[in-house]
Amino acid sequence: MADSIAETFTRIMTVEEAHRQIDPLSITATPEEGTDVARRFDWLGVKDMAATLRFSGSGTVVVITGNVRASVTQACVATARPITTRVDAPFTVRLVPMAQMEVEAEACEVELSDVALDSIGYDDARFDLADIIAETLALSLDPWPRRADADEWLRAQGVMGEQDVGPFAGLAALKAKLEKP
């Protein structure tokens, strides 16, 4: 689960600790940890990242139900200008040993429903809660964020739109020219 970027946002928990965790667990990222998460996903910034987690399951299986919250600033795909999104996303994941996950994957093909749990494999009877939170945050965002004013901003910068250069743009210009008195 670890990324190639050195991460400071980590919260390691063992399966045993998860099974003993009765009360909801709150995790709040420091500003430095938010910066690391932003760098990991190539975002402009992350502020106020926090999560509340509840644990269930038995044996080697841990089920985490929670909610992740943050303000994420990404670059608009059309203009590269910042666009900030407030995330407040519920999630549920099922953690199983990596070996068990591989066996389950080989055993059958499963048709997933809308309520099926995401399964994540772990090694050495431990997992990183921060990684689960960061990945959940990433999956909650639009992968191609576009500002509402992107088209107007691009026109003001002299960028032509698809309607200006498409295959019928020449015909539209000719029609407009013929309609002038």
Side-chain angles (χ1 to χ4, degrees), residues 160-172:
M160 290 193 264
E162 188 176 316
Q163 70 281 0
D164 301 325
V165 294
F168 297 106
L171 290 174

Side-chain angles (χ1 to χ4, degrees), residues 3-15:
D3 198 75
S4 61
I5 297 172
E7 298 177 25
T8 60
F9 185 48
T10 59
R11 301 292 191 282
I12 304 298
M13 179 177 260
T14 66
V15 171

Side-chain angles (χ1 to χ4, degrees), residues 100-154:
Q100 179 181 338
M101 193 168 172
E102 291 168 1
V103 168
E104 288 176 1
E106 290 177 11
C108 63
E109 250 181 64
V110 178
E111 188 78 26
L112 294 178
S113 69
D114 289 342
V115 294
L117 297 180
D118 290 326
S119 291
I120 299 173
Y122 64 82
D123 289 317
D124 301 324
R126 56 192 220 122
F127 45 87
D128 189 350
L129 295 173
D131 197 46
I132 294 166
I133 293 165
E135 289 181 11
T136 299
L137 180 61
L139 290 170
S140 301
L141 291 167
D142 183 347
W144 299 282
R146 186 177 174 95
R147 290 177 58 108
D149 65 347
D151 291 335
E152 294 81 24
W153 188 86
L154 289 169

Side-chain angles (χ1 to χ4, degrees), residues 25-101:
L25 177 66
S26 294
I27 295 175
T28 302
T30 67
E32 294 79 18
E33 291 170 332
T35 298
D36 277 357
V37 171
R39 186 175 27 252
R40 174 181 174 185
F41 293 106
D42 199 26
W43 299 330
L44 302 177
V46 174
K47 291 183 179 178
D48 305 321
M49 184 168 55
T52 303
L53 312 173
R54 290 171 187 78
F55 300 87
S56 61
S58 62
T60 59
V61 176
V62 176
V63 177
I64 302 174
T65 303
N67 187 279
V68 63
R69 299 166 304 283
S71 289
V72 179
T73 303
Q74 298 170 277
C76 170
V77 295
T79 66
R81 293 169 59 217
I83 181 169
T84 300
T85 305
R86 181 74 188 147
V87 175
D88 190 352
F91 69 94
T92 302
V93 295
R94 177 178 168 257
L95 302 168
V96 296
M98 192 62 78
Q100 179 181 338
M101 193 168 172

